[in-house]
DNA sequence: GTCGGTCTGTGATCGCCATCACGCGGGCGG
DNA sequence: CCGCCCGCGTGATGGCGATCACAGACCGAC
């Protein structure tokens, strides 16, 4: 059974799906599309983005192997709430929305697991609303780095590397590339991270946790 | 069957619950509490709030009769993600978390209905994230007024009255009372609303829709 | 009716962040 | 191997909104 944050899909259900190999930049669905497939990320990374004013883009999530996505449209039949784009060469399993709903109806355990997945996403969304409306860019940057470190590198005590560009980080934070770069510069000068091309290394996570609270 | 936005609970499940009468200001649960009861609002209004920096408060939602709330903790067993406080004299039905989960396990229809409820909340949360991070206070104010009009007064074409103080509106928008008052002042001078004590009247909804887009 | 508290309206000032602008370096494709 | 483009870093400036400050209006309690 695949389990990692966003829901979970048992192997027998997964076996009904179609395996798809994606190239970097390939679009699985676009915001407002009426498709209802549910996807499971097997390898690679997939971005969930929504468009905003002035051609800006807001990054809602980056999915890593094990994550389930696309479930909202299968559940309520409404248009896609975001666009899904492969970031690297990736592999996903695609399930039809009807198959997914049948599986949920047939299995109370899958239903509860899906509820847990949505509950987790809702808690994260509420946390992001609170952060966005009350914290500074510096504090949000520190918090997001810690969250991304858990997601991409596990939460071991050593130095963690987060593979992300500053542009994507800014889109995730809902700020500009320049502001994100300045916040990272402050953290770098404070000695808690080092920055590189498409890469941020958290060298002192306890200090970063402390800065996230105060900054 | 009770159905109104946030999930739905069939009458036979509702009958297992305990009816509770609340006085204005009474707290049902506080942020981080470990209780797992699920509530259904029967009459009155209930605020869902989270605390933020500097003693500020962020208003996540106002529940009206028919709404289901408190389901997140029942589903994932984690602490309450917000505090629930009655705004007026209200009546709610309280179900134990275990009874709720048993009912979900026993009824695929209830499970799907709960999934739809969470999906709806998640879409609203994502919309709020996008709004908060890309729109001005003026635009967010206009959008929120339209949403609240639907929620409190139905979406008939005539003038709608939204019963809310400017302080609460500001907490909902994640801004200050002064900024909310200024945004409302602009809308009033534009002739699309009138303001009163604890009350905002949308006198020209089409014009407000237009302003929400441009402002 | 009067008093107190809450809710509303608005001016002045300040700071964070968006915007514009530019230079630098390093990876990759040809 | 070399140039080009993408990603990073940072200064200058301006605007939106937070903060502080105060006054008037409405409502309920007594």
């Amino acid at each position: 059974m695949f389990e990692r944050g966003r829901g979970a899909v048992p192997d027998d259900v997964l076996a009904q799906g179609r395996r798809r190999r994606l190239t970097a930049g390939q679009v699985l669905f676009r915001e407002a599309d009426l498709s209802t497939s549910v996807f499971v990320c097997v390898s690679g990374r997939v971005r969930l983005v929504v468009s905003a004013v002035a051609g800006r883009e807001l990054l809602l999530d980056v999915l890593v192997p094990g994550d389930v996505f696309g479930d909202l449209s299968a559940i309520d039949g409404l248009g896609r709430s975001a666009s899904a784009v492969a970031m690297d060469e990736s592999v996903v399993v695609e399930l039809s929305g009807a198959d997914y709903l049948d599986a949920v109806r047939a299995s109370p355990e899958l239903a509860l697991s899906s509820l847990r997945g949505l509950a987790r996403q809702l808690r994260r969304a509420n946390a992001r609303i609170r952060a966005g409306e009350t914290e500074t860019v510096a504090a949000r940057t520190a918090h997001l780095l810690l969250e991304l470190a858990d997601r991409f590198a596990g939460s071991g005590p050593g130095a963690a590397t987060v593979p992300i560009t500053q542009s994507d980080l800014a889109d995730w934070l809902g700020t500009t590339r320049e502001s994100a770069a300045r916040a990272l510069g402050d953290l770098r000068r404070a000695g808690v991270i080092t920055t590189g091309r498409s890469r941020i290394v958290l060298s002192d996570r306890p200090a970063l946790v402390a800065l996230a609270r105060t900054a």
Side-chain angles (χ1 to χ4, degrees), chain A:
Chain A
M1 175 134 149
F2 253 129
E3 172 104 34
R4 198 214 137 94
R6 299 168 66 92
V9 177
D11 288 339
D12 59 327
V13 178
L14 216 52
Q16 295 176 35
R18 187 175 137 234
R19 189 181 180 84
R20 293 182 55 182
R21 182 171 299 274
L22 310 174
T23 61
Q26 189 171 344
V27 176
L28 278 170
F29 51 78
R30 284 184 204 282
E31 202 176 340
D33 278 357
L34 289 177
S35 62
T36 58
S37 300
V38 176
F39 297 88
V40 181
C41 179
V42 174
S43 72
R45 292 180 302 165
V46 177
R47 304 151 51 96
L48 286 185
V49 297
V50 296
S51 62
V53 290
R56 274 179 53 186
E57 205 168 60
L58 204 57
L59 190 53
L60 285 185
D61 207 347
V62 170
L63 306 159
V64 295
D67 288 339
V68 177
F69 62 101
D71 42 357
L72 282 195
S73 288
I75 288 166
D76 60 20
L78 302 178
R80 297 292 185 185
S81 64
S83 304
V85 185
M87 298 175 73
D88 320 304
E89 290 245 331
S90 306
V91 175
V92 300
V93 171
E94 175 173 7
L95 286 161
S96 84
D99 285 352
Y100 173 75
L101 288 183
D102 285 345
V104 167
R105 263 187 281 265
S107 160
E109 285 319 310
L110 177 57
L112 286 175
S113 158
S114 296
L115 283 171
R116 278 192 297 271
L118 286 186
R120 183 186 154 93
Q121 289 181 63
L122 195 50
R123 283 180 189 270
R124 282 187 50 199
N126 283 338
R128 183 165 172 180
I129 288 170
R130 166 161 47 191
E133 288 177 356
T134 63
E135 292 177 0
T136 66
V137 169
R140 276 149 58 201
T141 303
H143 277 124
L144 180 56
L145 285 179
L146 291 166
E147 182 185 337
L148 293 180
D150 286 351
R151 168 165 287 259
F152 286 118
S155 49
T161 298
V162 177
I164 192 172
T165 68
Q166 296 186 1
S167 278
D168 281 354
L169 193 70
D171 287 344
W172 195 309
L173 290 168
T175 183
T176 59
R177 189 202 47 90
E178 295 92 325
S179 291
R182 283 183 236 274
L184 290 174
D186 291 343
L187 292 175
R188 178 164 16 87
R189 279 184 283 280
V192 299
I193 65 171
T194 60
T195 56
R197 188 185 181 83
S198 303
R199 177 176 51 91
I200 299 164
V201 181
L202 281 59
S203 48
D204 187 349
R205 248 194 279 194
L208 186 55
V209 171
L211 281 177
R213 266 187 251 289
T214 64

PDB file of all heavy atoms in Angstrom, chain A residues 134-155:
ATOM      1  N   THR A 134      -0.354  36.691   8.237  1.00  0.00           N
ATOM      2  CA  THR A 134       0.144  37.294   9.476  1.00  0.00           C
ATOM      3  C   THR A 134       1.669  37.330   9.581  1.00  0.00           C
ATOM      4  O   THR A 134       2.193  38.071  10.395  1.00  0.00           O
ATOM      5  CB  THR A 134      -0.393  36.533  10.710  1.00  0.00           C
ATOM      6  OG1 THR A 134       0.095  35.194  10.674  1.00  0.00           O
ATOM      7  CG2 THR A 134      -1.906  36.520  10.725  1.00  0.00           C
ATOM      8  N   GLU A 135       2.385  36.542   8.762  1.00  0.00           N
ATOM      9  CA  GLU A 135       3.833  36.494   8.938  1.00  0.00           C
ATOM     10  C   GLU A 135       4.571  37.256   7.837  1.00  0.00           C
ATOM     11  O   GLU A 135       4.040  37.487   6.763  1.00  0.00           O
ATOM     12  CB  GLU A 135       4.309  35.027   8.944  1.00  0.00           C
ATOM     13  CG  GLU A 135       3.847  34.262  10.153  1.00  0.00           C
ATOM     14  CD  GLU A 135       4.282  32.806  10.095  1.00  0.00           C
ATOM     15  OE1 GLU A 135       4.949  32.429   9.103  1.00  0.00           O
ATOM     16  OE2 GLU A 135       3.965  32.061  11.028  1.00  0.00           O
ATOM     17  N   THR A 136       5.804  37.619   8.115  1.00  0.00           N
ATOM     18  CA  THR A 136       6.632  38.305   7.129  1.00  0.00           C
ATOM     19  C   THR A 136       7.201  37.281   6.147  1.00  0.00           C
ATOM     20  O   THR A 136       7.164  36.079   6.386  1.00  0.00           O
ATOM     21  CB  THR A 136       7.808  39.029   7.798  1.00  0.00           C
ATOM     22  OG1 THR A 136       8.665  38.035   8.356  1.00  0.00           O
ATOM     23  CG2 THR A 136       7.331  39.962   8.890  1.00  0.00           C
ATOM     24  N   VAL A 137       7.737  37.779   5.059  1.00  0.00           N
ATOM     25  CA  VAL A 137       8.352  36.901   4.073  1.00  0.00           C
ATOM     26  C   VAL A 137       9.488  36.095   4.699  1.00  0.00           C
ATOM     27  O   VAL A 137       9.653  34.912   4.418  1.00  0.00           O
ATOM     28  CB  VAL A 137       8.867  37.710   2.865  1.00  0.00           C
ATOM     29  CG1 VAL A 137       9.732  36.853   1.966  1.00  0.00           C
ATOM     30  CG2 VAL A 137       7.695  38.266   2.077  1.00  0.00           C
ATOM     31  N   ALA A 138      10.250  36.728   5.582  1.00  0.00           N
ATOM     32  CA  ALA A 138      11.381  36.037   6.210  1.00  0.00           C
ATOM     33  C   ALA A 138      10.906  34.817   6.987  1.00  0.00           C
ATOM     34  O   ALA A 138      11.442  33.712   6.827  1.00  0.00           O
ATOM     35  CB  ALA A 138      12.132  37.006   7.133  1.00  0.00           C
ATOM     36  N   ALA A 139       9.875  34.985   7.811  1.00  0.00           N
ATOM     37  CA  ALA A 139       9.384  33.879   8.623  1.00  0.00           C
ATOM     38  C   ALA A 139       8.768  32.797   7.737  1.00  0.00           C
ATOM     39  O   ALA A 139       8.992  31.603   7.960  1.00  0.00           O
ATOM     40  CB  ALA A 139       8.345  34.385   9.633  1.00  0.00           C
ATOM     41  N   ARG A 140       8.005  33.210   6.716  1.00  0.00           N
ATOM     42  CA  ARG A 140       7.394  32.215   5.834  1.00  0.00           C
ATOM     43  C   ARG A 140       8.468  31.439   5.087  1.00  0.00           C
ATOM     44  O   ARG A 140       8.337  30.229   4.870  1.00  0.00           O
ATOM     45  CB  ARG A 140       6.475  32.919   4.838  1.00  0.00           C
ATOM     46  CG  ARG A 140       5.091  33.178   5.399  1.00  0.00           C
ATOM     47  CD  ARG A 140       4.467  34.428   4.835  1.00  0.00           C
ATOM     48  NE  ARG A 140       4.332  34.428   3.396  1.00  0.00           N
ATOM     49  CZ  ARG A 140       4.189  35.531   2.668  1.00  0.00           C
ATOM     50  NH1 ARG A 140       4.200  36.721   3.271  1.00  0.00           N
ATOM     51  NH2 ARG A 140       4.056  35.466   1.380  1.00  0.00           N
ATOM     52  N   THR A 141       9.534  32.108   4.697  1.00  0.00           N
ATOM     53  CA  THR A 141      10.625  31.420   4.005  1.00  0.00           C
ATOM     54  C   THR A 141      11.222  30.350   4.904  1.00  0.00           C
ATOM     55  O   THR A 141      11.409  29.199   4.485  1.00  0.00           O
ATOM     56  CB  THR A 141      11.708  32.424   3.597  1.00  0.00           C
ATOM     57  OG1 THR A 141      11.129  33.434   2.782  1.00  0.00           O
ATOM     58  CG2 THR A 141      12.826  31.726   2.835  1.00  0.00           C
ATOM     59  N   ALA A 142      11.511  30.712   6.138  1.00  0.00           N
ATOM     60  CA  ALA A 142      12.112  29.750   7.065  1.00  0.00           C
ATOM     61  C   ALA A 142      11.177  28.564   7.268  1.00  0.00           C
ATOM     62  O   ALA A 142      11.606  27.406   7.206  1.00  0.00           O
ATOM     63  CB  ALA A 142      12.423  30.439   8.401  1.00  0.00           C
ATOM     64  N   HIS A 143       9.899  28.833   7.508  1.00  0.00           N
ATOM     65  CA  HIS A 143       8.948  27.732   7.709  1.00  0.00           C
ATOM     66  C   HIS A 143       8.867  26.833   6.490  1.00  0.00           C
ATOM     67  O   HIS A 143       8.855  25.614   6.602  1.00  0.00           O
ATOM     68  CB  HIS A 143       7.559  28.296   8.030  1.00  0.00           C
ATOM     69  CG  HIS A 143       7.366  28.668   9.460  1.00  0.00           C
ATOM     70  ND1 HIS A 143       6.988  29.922   9.876  1.00  0.00           N
ATOM     71  CD2 HIS A 143       7.533  27.950  10.593  1.00  0.00           C
ATOM     72  CE1 HIS A 143       6.917  29.951  11.187  1.00  0.00           C
ATOM     73  NE2 HIS A 143       7.244  28.772  11.654  1.00  0.00           N
ATOM     74  N   LEU A 144       8.797  27.442   5.308  1.00  0.00           N
ATOM     75  CA  LEU A 144       8.657  26.633   4.097  1.00  0.00           C
ATOM     76  C   LEU A 144       9.892  25.773   3.876  1.00  0.00           C
ATOM     77  O   LEU A 144       9.782  24.605   3.480  1.00  0.00           O
ATOM     78  CB  LEU A 144       8.402  27.533   2.887  1.00  0.00           C
ATOM     79  CG  LEU A 144       8.248  26.803   1.546  1.00  0.00           C
ATOM     80  CD1 LEU A 144       7.143  25.755   1.629  1.00  0.00           C
ATOM     81  CD2 LEU A 144       7.952  27.787   0.430  1.00  0.00           C
ATOM     82  N   LEU A 145      11.068  26.307   4.136  1.00  0.00           N
ATOM     83  CA  LEU A 145      12.287  25.518   3.972  1.00  0.00           C
ATOM     84  C   LEU A 145      12.247  24.286   4.868  1.00  0.00           C
ATOM     85  O   LEU A 145      12.603  23.182   4.440  1.00  0.00           O
ATOM     86  CB  LEU A 145      13.520  26.365   4.298  1.00  0.00           C
ATOM     87  CG  LEU A 145      13.917  27.386   3.233  1.00  0.00           C
ATOM     88  CD1 LEU A 145      15.134  28.185   3.680  1.00  0.00           C
ATOM     89  CD2 LEU A 145      14.194  26.697   1.898  1.00  0.00           C
ATOM     90  N   LEU A 146      11.781  24.465   6.104  1.00  0.00           N
ATOM     91  CA  LEU A 146      11.707  23.327   7.013  1.00  0.00           C
ATOM     92  C   LEU A 146      10.705  22.300   6.499  1.00  0.00           C
ATOM     93  O   LEU A 146      10.973  21.089   6.527  1.00  0.00           O
ATOM     94  CB  LEU A 146      11.319  23.810   8.412  1.00  0.00           C
ATOM     95  CG  LEU A 146      12.421  24.628   9.102  1.00  0.00           C
ATOM     96  CD1 LEU A 146      11.886  25.357  10.320  1.00  0.00           C
ATOM     97  CD2 LEU A 146      13.586  23.718   9.497  1.00  0.00           C
ATOM     98  N   GLU A 147       9.570  22.769   6.003  1.00  0.00           N
ATOM     99  CA  GLU A 147       8.565  21.845   5.477  1.00  0.00           C
ATOM    100  C   GLU A 147       9.106  21.098   4.262  1.00  0.00           C
ATOM    101  O   GLU A 147       8.924  19.883   4.127  1.00  0.00           O
ATOM    102  CB  GLU A 147       7.301  22.637   5.109  1.00  0.00           C
ATOM    103  CG  GLU A 147       6.172  21.753   4.605  1.00  0.00           C
ATOM    104  CD  GLU A 147       4.973  22.572   4.127  1.00  0.00           C
ATOM    105  OE1 GLU A 147       4.823  23.735   4.573  1.00  0.00           O
ATOM    106  OE2 GLU A 147       4.206  22.049   3.298  1.00  0.00           O
ATOM    107  N   LEU A 148       9.791  21.816   3.376  1.00  0.00           N
ATOM    108  CA  LEU A 148      10.308  21.185   2.168  1.00  0.00           C
ATOM    109  C   LEU A 148      11.426  20.201   2.493  1.00  0.00           C
ATOM    110  O   LEU A 148      11.578  19.183   1.821  1.00  0.00           O
ATOM    111  CB  LEU A 148      10.811  22.249   1.194  1.00  0.00           C
ATOM    112  CG  LEU A 148       9.730  23.147   0.592  1.00  0.00           C
ATOM    113  CD1 LEU A 148      10.343  24.153  -0.358  1.00  0.00           C
ATOM    114  CD2 LEU A 148       8.676  22.319  -0.113  1.00  0.00           C
ATOM    115  N   ALA A 149      12.190  20.508   3.526  1.00  0.00           N
ATOM    116  CA  ALA A 149      13.254  19.590   3.917  1.00  0.00           C
ATOM    117  C   ALA A 149      12.651  18.257   4.341  1.00  0.00           C
ATOM    118  O   ALA A 149      13.125  17.195   3.937  1.00  0.00           O
ATOM    119  CB  ALA A 149      14.085  20.196   5.050  1.00  0.00           C
ATOM    120  N   ASP A 150      11.566  18.299   5.133  1.00  0.00           N
ATOM    121  CA  ASP A 150      10.896  17.061   5.522  1.00  0.00           C
ATOM    122  C   ASP A 150      10.414  16.306   4.293  1.00  0.00           C
ATOM    123  O   ASP A 150      10.555  15.099   4.180  1.00  0.00           O
ATOM    124  CB  ASP A 150       9.691  17.374   6.411  1.00  0.00           C
ATOM    125  CG  ASP A 150      10.119  17.779   7.808  1.00  0.00           C
ATOM    126  OD1 ASP A 150      11.315  17.645   8.117  1.00  0.00           O
ATOM    127  OD2 ASP A 150       9.257  18.233   8.578  1.00  0.00           O
ATOM    128  N   ARG A 151       9.850  17.050   3.352  1.00  0.00           N
ATOM    129  CA  ARG A 151       9.217  16.415   2.199  1.00  0.00           C
ATOM    130  C   ARG A 151      10.242  15.800   1.257  1.00  0.00           C
ATOM    131  O   ARG A 151      10.044  14.700   0.747  1.00  0.00           O
ATOM    132  CB  ARG A 151       8.380  17.467   1.468  1.00  0.00           C
ATOM    133  CG  ARG A 151       7.879  17.070   0.116  1.00  0.00           C
ATOM    134  CD  ARG A 151       6.807  18.022  -0.318  1.00  0.00           C
ATOM    135  NE  ARG A 151       5.607  17.784   0.432  1.00  0.00           N
ATOM    136  CZ  ARG A 151       4.563  17.104  -0.044  1.00  0.00           C
ATOM    137  NH1 ARG A 151       4.589  16.627  -1.268  1.00  0.00           N
ATOM    138  NH2 ARG A 151       3.501  16.906   0.676  1.00  0.00           N
ATOM    139  N   PHE A 152      11.348  16.503   1.035  1.00  0.00           N
ATOM    140  CA  PHE A 152      12.294  16.047   0.016  1.00  0.00           C
ATOM    141  C   PHE A 152      13.437  15.226   0.581  1.00  0.00           C
ATOM    142  O   PHE A 152      14.005  14.403  -0.108  1.00  0.00           O
ATOM    143  CB  PHE A 152      12.871  17.231  -0.746  1.00  0.00           C
ATOM    144  CG  PHE A 152      11.904  17.843  -1.705  1.00  0.00           C
ATOM    145  CD1 PHE A 152      11.492  19.149  -1.557  1.00  0.00           C
ATOM    146  CD2 PHE A 152      11.394  17.100  -2.756  1.00  0.00           C
ATOM    147  CE1 PHE A 152      10.587  19.712  -2.434  1.00  0.00           C
ATOM    148  CE2 PHE A 152      10.491  17.660  -3.646  1.00  0.00           C
ATOM    149  CZ  PHE A 152      10.082  18.965  -3.480  1.00  0.00           C
ATOM    150  N   ALA A 153      13.781  15.488   1.825  1.00  0.00           N
ATOM    151  CA  ALA A 153      15.011  14.882   2.305  1.00  0.00           C
ATOM    152  C   ALA A 153      14.829  14.084   3.580  1.00  0.00           C
ATOM    153  O   ALA A 153      15.782  13.572   4.138  1.00  0.00           O
ATOM    154  CB  ALA A 153      16.056  15.981   2.547  1.00  0.00           C
ATOM    155  N   GLY A 154      13.559  13.939   4.059  1.00  0.00           N
ATOM    156  CA  GLY A 154      13.384  13.278   5.340  1.00  0.00           C
ATOM    157  C   GLY A 154      13.837  14.216   6.443  1.00  0.00           C
ATOM    158  O   GLY A 154      14.462  15.233   6.185  1.00  0.00           O
ATOM    159  N   SER A 155      13.507  13.848   7.685  1.00  0.00           N
ATOM    160  CA  SER A 155      13.765  14.803   8.766  1.00  0.00           C
ATOM    161  C   SER A 155      14.938  14.378   9.629  1.00  0.00           C
ATOM    162  O   SER A 155      14.963  14.617  10.819  1.00  0.00           O
ATOM    163  CB  SER A 155      12.504  14.971   9.612  1.00  0.00           C
ATOM    164  OG  SER A 155      11.982  13.699   9.959  1.00  0.00           O
TER     165      SER A 155
END
